[in-house]
């Protein structure tokens, strides 16, 4: 029995479901008027987790679309993980105290590492570390900046600080339907010795199988966005692929 999970992605901007091409805010496609309705559709197809990103929050460095996140949890009862615009202890507590299952800290891992380490000490496995990489280096601030920190080095440091789950995104593959950067994802899993959820590039069911092949190395799931919105396959087909 596999523990490999599928995480349908809901990226929120202006209260709508959107996808950005490689994180570019000028290359946006709107796929739905209601994040809650979209989540209900995914949950109806069997999704146990919903991956939500507050794109407005990531840009504004504060919570913006948070009410939709809480509504999804309250109405649907699925597991929810949220990233985007979470910069303070108050933000983390807000989501966790309202029943959200996992809070993703990304840019803060570079801009405020002590805060991230404190949250890991305080909340343990309820904190996931989102590492977005461009050419092996960490990208921050909604992918608008690229740092001088190697993705695997940051992963190792935060694993030592108590992180159990990492979400690794290769920006060059995100939204491109070009296939995931399996080498980069597996490198992160091996470097950290922890669980890694793959993000970016999944375009066909075979990509999920290819990722699942590294489950023993720590690749525990895949976030799927554009492939679902452009009808490459459905959530139920994805779940069937990784459980068959």
């Amino acid at each position: 029995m596999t523990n490999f999970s599928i995480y349908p992605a809901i990226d929120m901007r202006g209260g709508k479901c959107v996808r950005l091409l490689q994180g570019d805010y000028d290359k946006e496609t709107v796929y739905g008027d209601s994040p809650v309705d979209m989540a209900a559709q995914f949950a109806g197809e069997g999704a146990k987790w919903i991956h939500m990103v507050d794109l407005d929050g990531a840009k504004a460095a504060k919570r913006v679309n948070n009410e939709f996140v809480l509504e999804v949890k309250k109405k649907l009862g699925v597991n929810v993980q949220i990233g985007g615009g979470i910069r303070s202890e108050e933000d983390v507590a807000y989501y966790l105290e309202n029943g959200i299952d996992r809070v993703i800290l990304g840019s803060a891992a570079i801009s405020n590492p002590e805060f991230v380490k404190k949250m890991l000490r305080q909340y343990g496995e309820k904190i996931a570390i989102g590492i977005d990489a461009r050419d092996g280096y960490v990208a921050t601030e909604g992918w608008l900046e690229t740092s001088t920190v190697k993705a695997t080095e940051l992963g190792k440091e935060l694993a030592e600080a108590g992180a159990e789950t990492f979400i690794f995104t290769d920006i060059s593959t995100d939204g491109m339907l070009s296939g995931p950067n399996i080498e980069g994802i597996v490198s992160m899993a091996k470097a950290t010795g922890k669980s890694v959820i793959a993000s970016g590039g999944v375009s066909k069911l075979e990509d999920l199988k290819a990722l699942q092949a590294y489950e023993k190395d720590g690749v525990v799931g895949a976030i799927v966005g554009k492939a679902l919105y452009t009808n490459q396959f459905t959530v139920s087909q994805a779940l069937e692929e990784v459980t068959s």
Side-chain angles (χ1 to χ4, degrees), residues 7 49 51 80-84 86-97 100-109 112-131 155 158-159 161-167 194-197:
Y7 294 79
W49 277 94
H51 171 81
V80 176
Q81 61 183 23
I82 173 67
I86 301 166
R87 298 285 192 278
S88 70
E89 198 166 334
E90 182 202 351
D91 290 332
V92 174
Y94 168 86
Y95 282 120
L96 295 179
E97 286 169 9
I100 300 307
D101 301 275
R102 198 183 279 152
V103 167
I104 304 160
L105 299 178
S107 297
N112 194 352
E114 288 315 308
F115 158 67
V116 173
K117 289 172 183 176
K118 183 182 178 187
M119 293 300 93
L120 286 168
R121 288 194 298 272
Q122 202 160 321
Y123 296 109
E125 61 187 22
K126 288 194 172 290
I127 302 293
I129 304 297
I131 297 184
L158 292 171
E164 292 294 334
T165 303
F166 291 86
I167 295 168
K194 302 296 183 182
S195 297
V196 173
I197 299 167

Short mmCIF file of all heavy atoms in Angstrom, two decimals, residues 7 49 51 80-84 86-97 100-109 112-131 155 158-159 161-167 194-197:
data_model
loop_
_atom_site.label_atom_id
_atom_site.label_comp_id
_atom_site.label_asym_id
_atom_site.label_seq_id
_atom_site.Cartn_x
_atom_site.Cartn_y
_atom_site.Cartn_z
N TYR A 7 -1.82 16.10 -4.32
CA TYR A 7 -2.23 17.39 -3.76
C TYR A 7 -2.74 18.29 -4.88
O TYR A 7 -1.94 18.99 -5.52
CB TYR A 7 -1.05 18.08 -3.07
CG TYR A 7 -0.51 17.39 -1.85
CD1 TYR A 7 0.34 16.29 -1.96
CD2 TYR A 7 -0.83 17.84 -0.57
CE1 TYR A 7 0.84 15.65 -0.83
CE2 TYR A 7 -0.32 17.21 0.56
CZ TYR A 7 0.51 16.12 0.42
OH TYR A 7 1.02 15.49 1.54
N TRP A 49 -6.15 15.68 0.34
CA TRP A 49 -5.44 16.93 0.64
C TRP A 49 -5.78 17.97 -0.43
O TRP A 49 -5.96 17.63 -1.60
CB TRP A 49 -3.93 16.71 0.61
CG TRP A 49 -3.34 16.15 1.86
CD1 TRP A 49 -3.10 14.83 2.14
CD2 TRP A 49 -2.87 16.88 3.00
NE1 TRP A 49 -2.52 14.70 3.37
CE2 TRP A 49 -2.37 15.95 3.93
CE3 TRP A 49 -2.83 18.25 3.33
CZ2 TRP A 49 -1.84 16.31 5.16
CZ3 TRP A 49 -2.29 18.62 4.55
CH2 TRP A 49 -1.80 17.66 5.45
N HIS A 51 -3.97 21.62 -1.69
CA HIS A 51 -2.81 22.51 -1.55
C HIS A 51 -3.26 23.91 -2.00
O HIS A 51 -3.64 24.10 -3.15
CB HIS A 51 -1.67 22.01 -2.45
CG HIS A 51 -0.51 22.93 -2.57
ND1 HIS A 51 0.48 23.01 -1.62
CD2 HIS A 51 -0.16 23.82 -3.55
CE1 HIS A 51 1.39 23.91 -2.00
NE2 HIS A 51 1.01 24.41 -3.18
N VAL A 80 -5.90 20.36 4.58
CA VAL A 80 -5.54 21.56 3.82
C VAL A 80 -4.14 22.01 4.22
O VAL A 80 -3.82 22.09 5.41
CB VAL A 80 -6.54 22.71 4.08
CG1 VAL A 80 -6.09 23.99 3.38
CG2 VAL A 80 -7.94 22.32 3.62
N GLN A 81 -3.32 22.30 3.21
CA GLN A 81 -2.05 22.99 3.49
C GLN A 81 -2.07 24.32 2.75
O GLN A 81 -2.57 24.41 1.63
CB GLN A 81 -0.84 22.13 3.11
CG GLN A 81 -0.71 21.74 1.66
CD GLN A 81 0.48 20.83 1.40
OE1 GLN A 81 0.96 20.14 2.30
NE2 GLN A 81 0.96 20.80 0.17
N ILE A 82 -1.52 25.35 3.40
CA ILE A 82 -1.59 26.70 2.86
C ILE A 82 -0.22 27.36 2.88
O ILE A 82 0.52 27.26 3.86
CB ILE A 82 -2.61 27.58 3.63
CG1 ILE A 82 -2.58 29.06 3.17
CG2 ILE A 82 -2.38 27.51 5.14
CD1 ILE A 82 -3.04 29.31 1.77
N GLY A 83 0.10 28.04 1.79
CA GLY A 83 1.31 28.85 1.71
C GLY A 83 0.99 30.19 1.08
O GLY A 83 -0.06 30.36 0.45
N GLY A 84 1.88 31.13 1.24
CA GLY A 84 1.71 32.46 0.64
C GLY A 84 1.38 33.52 1.66
O GLY A 84 0.31 33.48 2.26
N ILE A 86 2.68 34.13 4.61
CA ILE A 86 2.74 33.77 6.03
C ILE A 86 4.11 34.19 6.55
O ILE A 86 5.12 33.56 6.28
CB ILE A 86 2.49 32.25 6.21
CG1 ILE A 86 1.12 31.90 5.64
CG2 ILE A 86 2.59 31.86 7.69
CD1 ILE A 86 0.88 30.43 5.45
N ARG A 87 4.12 35.29 7.28
CA ARG A 87 5.39 35.90 7.68
C ARG A 87 5.55 36.06 9.19
O ARG A 87 6.61 36.46 9.65
CB ARG A 87 5.53 37.30 7.05
CG ARG A 87 5.54 37.33 5.54
CD ARG A 87 6.86 36.85 4.98
NE ARG A 87 6.96 37.15 3.56
CZ ARG A 87 6.44 36.42 2.59
NH1 ARG A 87 5.77 35.32 2.90
NH2 ARG A 87 6.57 36.76 1.33
N SER A 88 4.50 35.76 9.95
CA SER A 88 4.59 36.01 11.40
C SER A 88 4.03 34.84 12.19
O SER A 88 3.31 34.00 11.66
CB SER A 88 3.80 37.28 11.76
OG SER A 88 2.41 37.01 11.60
N GLU A 89 4.38 34.84 13.46
CA GLU A 89 3.87 33.81 14.38
C GLU A 89 2.34 33.89 14.43
O GLU A 89 1.66 32.87 14.50
CB GLU A 89 4.46 34.06 15.76
CG GLU A 89 4.37 32.87 16.67
CD GLU A 89 5.26 33.01 17.90
OE1 GLU A 89 6.28 33.73 17.84
OE2 GLU A 89 4.91 32.39 18.89
N GLU A 90 1.83 35.10 14.35
CA GLU A 90 0.38 35.31 14.38
C GLU A 90 -0.28 34.64 13.16
O GLU A 90 -1.35 34.02 13.28
CB GLU A 90 0.07 36.81 14.39
CG GLU A 90 -1.41 37.12 14.46
CD GLU A 90 -1.75 38.52 13.95
OE1 GLU A 90 -0.83 39.32 13.70
OE2 GLU A 90 -2.96 38.78 13.80
N ASP A 91 0.36 34.75 11.99
CA ASP A 91 -0.17 34.12 10.78
C ASP A 91 -0.23 32.61 10.94
O ASP A 91 -1.23 31.97 10.59
CB ASP A 91 0.72 34.44 9.57
CG ASP A 91 0.64 35.89 9.13
OD1 ASP A 91 -0.40 36.52 9.36
OD2 ASP A 91 1.65 36.38 8.57
N VAL A 92 0.85 32.04 11.44
CA VAL A 92 0.92 30.58 11.62
C VAL A 92 -0.16 30.12 12.59
O VAL A 92 -0.92 29.19 12.32
CB VAL A 92 2.32 30.16 12.12
CG1 VAL A 92 2.35 28.66 12.43
CG2 VAL A 92 3.39 30.50 11.07
N ALA A 93 -0.24 30.82 13.73
CA ALA A 93 -1.23 30.45 14.76
C ALA A 93 -2.65 30.60 14.22
O ALA A 93 -3.52 29.77 14.49
CB ALA A 93 -1.03 31.32 16.00
N TYR A 94 -2.88 31.65 13.44
CA TYR A 94 -4.21 31.90 12.86
C TYR A 94 -4.71 30.68 12.10
O TYR A 94 -5.83 30.21 12.28
CB TYR A 94 -4.15 33.13 11.95
CG TYR A 94 -5.37 33.33 11.08
CD1 TYR A 94 -6.49 34.01 11.57
CD2 TYR A 94 -5.41 32.83 9.78
CE1 TYR A 94 -7.62 34.20 10.77
CE2 TYR A 94 -6.53 33.00 8.98
CZ TYR A 94 -7.63 33.69 9.47
OH TYR A 94 -8.74 33.85 8.68
N TYR A 95 -3.85 30.16 11.23
CA TYR A 95 -4.27 29.02 10.41
C TYR A 95 -4.39 27.74 11.24
O TYR A 95 -5.39 27.02 11.14
CB TYR A 95 -3.29 28.81 9.26
CG TYR A 95 -3.50 29.78 8.11
CD1 TYR A 95 -2.49 30.64 7.69
CD2 TYR A 95 -4.72 29.83 7.43
CE1 TYR A 95 -2.67 31.52 6.64
CE2 TYR A 95 -4.92 30.72 6.37
CZ TYR A 95 -3.89 31.56 5.98
OH TYR A 95 -4.10 32.43 4.94
N LEU A 96 -3.39 27.46 12.05
CA LEU A 96 -3.41 26.20 12.81
C LEU A 96 -4.53 26.18 13.84
O LEU A 96 -5.18 25.15 14.05
CB LEU A 96 -2.04 25.95 13.45
CG LEU A 96 -0.90 25.72 12.45
CD1 LEU A 96 0.42 25.52 13.19
CD2 LEU A 96 -1.18 24.53 11.53
N GLU A 97 -4.78 27.31 14.47
CA GLU A 97 -5.86 27.35 15.47
C GLU A 97 -7.24 27.26 14.83
O GLU A 97 -8.22 26.92 15.48
CB GLU A 97 -5.74 28.63 16.32
CG GLU A 97 -4.59 28.55 17.31
CD GLU A 97 -4.27 29.88 17.97
OE1 GLU A 97 -5.06 30.85 17.79
OE2 GLU A 97 -3.23 29.96 18.65
N ILE A 100 -6.42 24.38 10.14
CA ILE A 100 -5.64 24.06 8.94
C ILE A 100 -4.55 23.05 9.33
O ILE A 100 -3.93 23.18 10.39
CB ILE A 100 -5.05 25.34 8.32
CG1 ILE A 100 -6.18 26.31 7.92
CG2 ILE A 100 -4.17 25.01 7.13
CD1 ILE A 100 -7.26 25.73 7.03
N ASP A 101 -4.32 22.07 8.48
CA ASP A 101 -3.47 20.94 8.85
C ASP A 101 -1.97 21.21 8.73
O ASP A 101 -1.18 20.68 9.49
CB ASP A 101 -3.84 19.73 7.98
CG ASP A 101 -5.30 19.36 8.18
OD1 ASP A 101 -5.59 18.62 9.12
OD2 ASP A 101 -6.16 19.87 7.41
N ARG A 102 -1.61 22.04 7.75
CA ARG A 102 -0.18 22.28 7.54
C ARG A 102 0.02 23.68 6.98
O ARG A 102 -0.70 24.10 6.07
CB ARG A 102 0.36 21.24 6.56
CG ARG A 102 1.86 21.07 6.56
CD ARG A 102 2.28 20.07 5.49
NE ARG A 102 2.12 18.69 5.90
CZ ARG A 102 1.91 17.68 5.05
NH1 ARG A 102 1.79 17.91 3.75
NH2 ARG A 102 1.80 16.45 5.48
N VAL A 103 0.97 24.39 7.55
CA VAL A 103 1.30 25.74 7.08
C VAL A 103 2.66 25.68 6.40
O VAL A 103 3.61 25.08 6.92
CB VAL A 103 1.35 26.72 8.28
CG1 VAL A 103 1.99 28.04 7.87
CG2 VAL A 103 -0.06 26.97 8.81
N ILE A 104 2.73 26.27 5.21
CA ILE A 104 3.96 26.24 4.42
C ILE A 104 4.72 27.56 4.59
O ILE A 104 4.17 28.64 4.33
CB ILE A 104 3.65 26.02 2.93
CG1 ILE A 104 2.82 24.75 2.74
CG2 ILE A 104 4.94 25.96 2.11
CD1 ILE A 104 2.07 24.70 1.42
N LEU A 105 5.95 27.47 5.03
CA LEU A 105 6.81 28.64 5.13
C LEU A 105 7.84 28.56 4.02
O LEU A 105 8.53 27.55 3.88
CB LEU A 105 7.49 28.69 6.50
CG LEU A 105 6.55 28.80 7.70
CD1 LEU A 105 7.34 28.80 9.00
CD2 LEU A 105 5.66 30.04 7.61
N GLY A 106 7.92 29.61 3.21
CA GLY A 106 8.80 29.60 2.06
C GLY A 106 9.84 30.69 2.12
O GLY A 106 10.95 30.50 2.61
N SER A 107 9.47 31.88 1.65
CA SER A 107 10.42 33.00 1.59
C SER A 107 11.03 33.31 2.94
O SER A 107 12.20 33.70 3.04
CB SER A 107 9.73 34.26 1.04
OG SER A 107 9.28 34.04 -0.27
N ALA A 108 10.26 33.11 4.00
CA ALA A 108 10.76 33.41 5.35
C ALA A 108 11.97 32.56 5.72
O ALA A 108 12.77 32.94 6.56
CB ALA A 108 9.64 33.20 6.38
N ALA A 109 12.10 31.39 5.08
CA ALA A 109 13.25 30.53 5.39
C ALA A 109 14.57 31.22 5.03
O ALA A 109 15.60 30.94 5.63
CB ALA A 109 13.12 29.21 4.64
N ASN A 112 14.00 35.25 7.15
CA ASN A 112 13.88 35.23 8.61
C ASN A 112 14.03 33.80 9.14
O ASN A 112 13.10 33.22 9.69
CB ASN A 112 12.52 35.82 9.00
CG ASN A 112 12.43 36.16 10.47
OD1 ASN A 112 13.32 35.84 11.24
ND2 ASN A 112 11.34 36.78 10.87
N PRO A 113 15.24 33.22 8.98
CA PRO A 113 15.42 31.81 9.35
C PRO A 113 15.16 31.52 10.82
O PRO A 113 14.67 30.43 11.16
CB PRO A 113 16.88 31.52 8.97
CG PRO A 113 17.53 32.84 8.77
CD PRO A 113 16.46 33.80 8.39
N GLU A 114 15.44 32.47 11.68
CA GLU A 114 15.21 32.22 13.12
C GLU A 114 13.72 32.05 13.42
O GLU A 114 13.34 31.24 14.25
CB GLU A 114 15.81 33.35 13.98
CG GLU A 114 17.33 33.33 14.03
CD GLU A 114 17.89 31.92 14.26
OE1 GLU A 114 17.45 31.24 15.22
OE2 GLU A 114 18.76 31.49 13.47
N PHE A 115 12.90 32.84 12.73
CA PHE A 115 11.45 32.70 12.88
C PHE A 115 11.00 31.31 12.44
O PHE A 115 10.22 30.64 13.12
CB PHE A 115 10.74 33.79 12.04
CG PHE A 115 9.32 33.47 11.67
CD1 PHE A 115 8.34 33.39 12.64
CD2 PHE A 115 8.97 33.25 10.34
CE1 PHE A 115 7.02 33.10 12.30
CE2 PHE A 115 7.66 32.96 9.99
CZ PHE A 115 6.68 32.88 10.97
N VAL A 116 11.51 30.85 11.30
CA VAL A 116 11.13 29.54 10.78
C VAL A 116 11.55 28.44 11.75
O VAL A 116 10.78 27.52 12.05
CB VAL A 116 11.74 29.32 9.38
CG1 VAL A 116 11.49 27.90 8.90
CG2 VAL A 116 11.13 30.32 8.39
N LYS A 117 12.75 28.55 12.28
CA LYS A 117 13.24 27.53 13.23
C LYS A 117 12.40 27.54 14.51
O LYS A 117 12.11 26.48 15.08
CB LYS A 117 14.72 27.76 13.52
CG LYS A 117 15.59 27.40 12.32
CD LYS A 117 17.04 27.80 12.53
CE LYS A 117 17.86 27.49 11.27
NZ LYS A 117 19.25 27.95 11.38
N LYS A 118 11.99 28.71 14.93
CA LYS A 118 11.13 28.81 16.11
C LYS A 118 9.78 28.14 15.85
O LYS A 118 9.25 27.41 16.70
CB LYS A 118 10.91 30.29 16.48
CG LYS A 118 10.09 30.47 17.75
CD LYS A 118 9.84 31.94 18.07
CE LYS A 118 8.99 32.06 19.32
NZ LYS A 118 8.58 33.46 19.57
N MET A 119 9.21 28.35 14.66
CA MET A 119 7.93 27.73 14.31
C MET A 119 8.07 26.20 14.24
O MET A 119 7.16 25.48 14.63
CB MET A 119 7.41 28.29 12.99
CG MET A 119 7.00 29.76 13.02
SD MET A 119 5.68 30.14 14.21
CE MET A 119 6.63 30.61 15.66
N LEU A 120 9.22 25.74 13.75
CA LEU A 120 9.45 24.29 13.71
C LEU A 120 9.51 23.71 15.12
O LEU A 120 8.96 22.64 15.39
CB LEU A 120 10.75 23.99 12.95
CG LEU A 120 10.68 24.15 11.43
CD1 LEU A 120 12.08 24.12 10.82
CD2 LEU A 120 9.80 23.08 10.81
N ARG A 121 10.17 24.43 16.01
CA ARG A 121 10.23 23.96 17.41
C ARG A 121 8.84 23.93 18.03
O ARG A 121 8.48 23.03 18.77
CB ARG A 121 11.15 24.86 18.25
CG ARG A 121 12.63 24.70 17.96
CD ARG A 121 13.50 25.35 19.02
NE ARG A 121 13.29 26.80 19.11
CZ ARG A 121 13.95 27.70 18.37
NH1 ARG A 121 14.86 27.30 17.48
NH2 ARG A 121 13.73 28.99 18.51
N GLN A 122 8.07 24.95 17.70
CA GLN A 122 6.75 25.12 18.33
C GLN A 122 5.68 24.19 17.76
O GLN A 122 4.88 23.63 18.49
CB GLN A 122 6.30 26.57 18.17
CG GLN A 122 5.27 27.02 19.19
CD GLN A 122 5.25 28.54 19.28
OE1 GLN A 122 6.29 29.19 19.22
NE2 GLN A 122 4.08 29.10 19.40
N TYR A 123 5.68 24.03 16.44
CA TYR A 123 4.57 23.32 15.78
C TYR A 123 4.97 22.03 15.08
O TYR A 123 4.11 21.31 14.57
CB TYR A 123 3.88 24.25 14.78
CG TYR A 123 3.21 25.44 15.44
CD1 TYR A 123 3.73 26.72 15.29
CD2 TYR A 123 2.05 25.28 16.21
CE1 TYR A 123 3.12 27.82 15.89
CE2 TYR A 123 1.44 26.37 16.82
CZ TYR A 123 1.97 27.63 16.65
OH TYR A 123 1.37 28.72 17.24
N GLY A 124 6.29 21.76 15.02
CA GLY A 124 6.75 20.48 14.48
C GLY A 124 6.24 20.18 13.09
O GLY A 124 6.37 20.99 12.16
N GLU A 125 5.63 19.00 12.94
CA GLU A 125 5.27 18.52 11.60
C GLU A 125 4.12 19.29 10.96
O GLU A 125 3.80 19.07 9.80
CB GLU A 125 4.93 17.04 11.66
CG GLU A 125 3.76 16.71 12.56
CD GLU A 125 3.58 15.19 12.73
OE1 GLU A 125 4.55 14.44 12.52
OE2 GLU A 125 2.46 14.81 13.07
N LYS A 126 3.50 20.21 11.70
CA LYS A 126 2.45 21.05 11.09
C LYS A 126 3.04 22.15 10.22
O LYS A 126 2.31 22.88 9.54
CB LYS A 126 1.53 21.63 12.16
CG LYS A 126 0.61 20.57 12.77
CD LYS A 126 -0.50 21.19 13.57
CE LYS A 126 -1.51 20.16 14.01
NZ LYS A 126 -2.33 19.62 12.91
N ILE A 127 4.35 22.28 10.26
CA ILE A 127 5.04 23.26 9.40
C ILE A 127 5.71 22.51 8.25
O ILE A 127 6.48 21.57 8.47
CB ILE A 127 6.12 24.03 10.19
CG1 ILE A 127 5.51 24.75 11.40
CG2 ILE A 127 6.86 25.00 9.27
CD1 ILE A 127 4.57 25.88 11.08
N ALA A 128 5.42 22.91 7.03
CA ALA A 128 6.15 22.40 5.86
C ALA A 128 7.04 23.52 5.34
O ALA A 128 6.68 24.70 5.43
CB ALA A 128 5.19 21.95 4.77
N ILE A 129 8.18 23.16 4.83
CA ILE A 129 9.10 24.14 4.26
C ILE A 129 8.97 24.11 2.74
O ILE A 129 9.20 23.08 2.11
CB ILE A 129 10.56 23.85 4.66
CG1 ILE A 129 10.71 23.79 6.19
CG2 ILE A 129 11.50 24.89 4.05
CD1 ILE A 129 10.39 25.07 6.92
N GLY A 130 8.58 25.23 2.17
CA GLY A 130 8.49 25.35 0.72
C GLY A 130 9.79 25.89 0.16
O GLY A 130 10.17 27.02 0.47
N ILE A 131 10.48 25.06 -0.61
CA ILE A 131 11.72 25.51 -1.24
C ILE A 131 11.51 25.58 -2.74
O ILE A 131 11.25 24.56 -3.40
CB ILE A 131 12.90 24.59 -0.89
CG1 ILE A 131 13.15 24.64 0.63
CG2 ILE A 131 14.15 25.00 -1.66
CD1 ILE A 131 14.36 23.85 1.10
N GLY A 155 17.75 23.08 2.65
CA GLY A 155 17.00 21.90 3.08
C GLY A 155 17.68 21.19 4.23
O GLY A 155 17.05 20.86 5.24
N LEU A 158 17.43 23.18 7.54
CA LEU A 158 16.10 23.18 8.17
C LEU A 158 15.69 21.79 8.63
O LEU A 158 14.94 21.64 9.59
CB LEU A 158 15.08 23.80 7.22
CG LEU A 158 15.31 25.30 7.01
CD1 LEU A 158 14.44 25.84 5.91
CD2 LEU A 158 15.08 26.09 8.30
N ALA A 159 16.19 20.76 7.96
CA ALA A 159 15.95 19.39 8.45
C ALA A 159 16.58 19.22 9.83
O ALA A 159 15.99 18.64 10.74
CB ALA A 159 16.50 18.37 7.47
N ALA A 161 16.96 21.52 11.88
CA ALA A 161 16.18 22.35 12.81
C ALA A 161 14.81 21.74 13.13
O ALA A 161 14.04 22.31 13.90
CB ALA A 161 15.99 23.75 12.23
N GLY A 162 14.50 20.59 12.50
CA GLY A 162 13.26 19.90 12.86
C GLY A 162 12.23 19.77 11.76
O GLY A 162 11.16 19.20 11.99
N ALA A 163 12.52 20.28 10.57
CA ALA A 163 11.54 20.16 9.48
C ALA A 163 11.39 18.70 9.05
O ALA A 163 12.39 18.00 8.88
CB ALA A 163 11.97 21.00 8.28
N GLU A 164 10.15 18.26 8.90
CA GLU A 164 9.87 16.88 8.49
C GLU A 164 9.36 16.79 7.06
O GLU A 164 9.45 15.74 6.42
CB GLU A 164 8.84 16.24 9.44
CG GLU A 164 9.33 16.02 10.85
CD GLU A 164 10.45 14.98 10.95
OE1 GLU A 164 10.53 14.10 10.06
OE2 GLU A 164 11.24 15.06 11.89
N THR A 165 8.79 17.90 6.56
CA THR A 165 8.19 17.89 5.22
C THR A 165 8.67 19.08 4.41
O THR A 165 8.64 20.22 4.90
CB THR A 165 6.65 17.94 5.31
OG1 THR A 165 6.20 16.84 6.10
CG2 THR A 165 6.01 17.86 3.93
N PHE A 166 9.12 18.80 3.21
CA PHE A 166 9.55 19.85 2.29
C PHE A 166 8.69 19.79 1.03
O PHE A 166 8.31 18.71 0.57
CB PHE A 166 11.02 19.66 1.89
CG PHE A 166 11.98 19.91 3.01
CD1 PHE A 166 12.30 18.89 3.90
CD2 PHE A 166 12.55 21.15 3.20
CE1 PHE A 166 13.18 19.11 4.95
CE2 PHE A 166 13.43 21.40 4.24
CZ PHE A 166 13.74 20.37 5.13
N ILE A 167 8.39 20.96 0.49
CA ILE A 167 7.72 21.05 -0.81
C ILE A 167 8.73 21.68 -1.76
O ILE A 167 9.15 22.82 -1.55
CB ILE A 167 6.44 21.89 -0.72
CG1 ILE A 167 5.42 21.18 0.18
CG2 ILE A 167 5.85 22.11 -2.11
CD1 ILE A 167 4.25 22.03 0.58
N LYS A 194 14.34 13.63 4.64
CA LYS A 194 12.97 13.85 5.09
C LYS A 194 11.98 13.64 3.94
O LYS A 194 12.36 13.26 2.85
CB LYS A 194 12.82 15.28 5.65
CG LYS A 194 13.77 15.60 6.80
CD LYS A 194 13.49 14.75 8.03
CE LYS A 194 14.41 15.13 9.19
NZ LYS A 194 14.18 14.27 10.37
N SER A 195 10.71 13.90 4.22
CA SER A 195 9.67 13.74 3.20
C SER A 195 9.67 14.94 2.26
O SER A 195 9.70 16.09 2.73
CB SER A 195 8.30 13.63 3.88
OG SER A 195 8.25 12.47 4.69
N VAL A 196 9.59 14.67 0.98
CA VAL A 196 9.54 15.74 -0.03
C VAL A 196 8.31 15.56 -0.90
O VAL A 196 8.06 14.47 -1.43
CB VAL A 196 10.82 15.76 -0.89
CG1 VAL A 196 10.68 16.78 -2.04
CG2 VAL A 196 12.03 16.11 -0.04
N ILE A 197 7.54 16.64 -1.04
CA ILE A 197 6.41 16.68 -1.95
C ILE A 197 6.87 17.42 -3.20
O ILE A 197 7.39 18.54 -3.11
CB ILE A 197 5.21 17.41 -1.31
CG1 ILE A 197 4.75 16.68 -0.04
CG2 ILE A 197 4.05 17.53 -2.30
CD1 ILE A 197 3.80 17.48 0.83
#
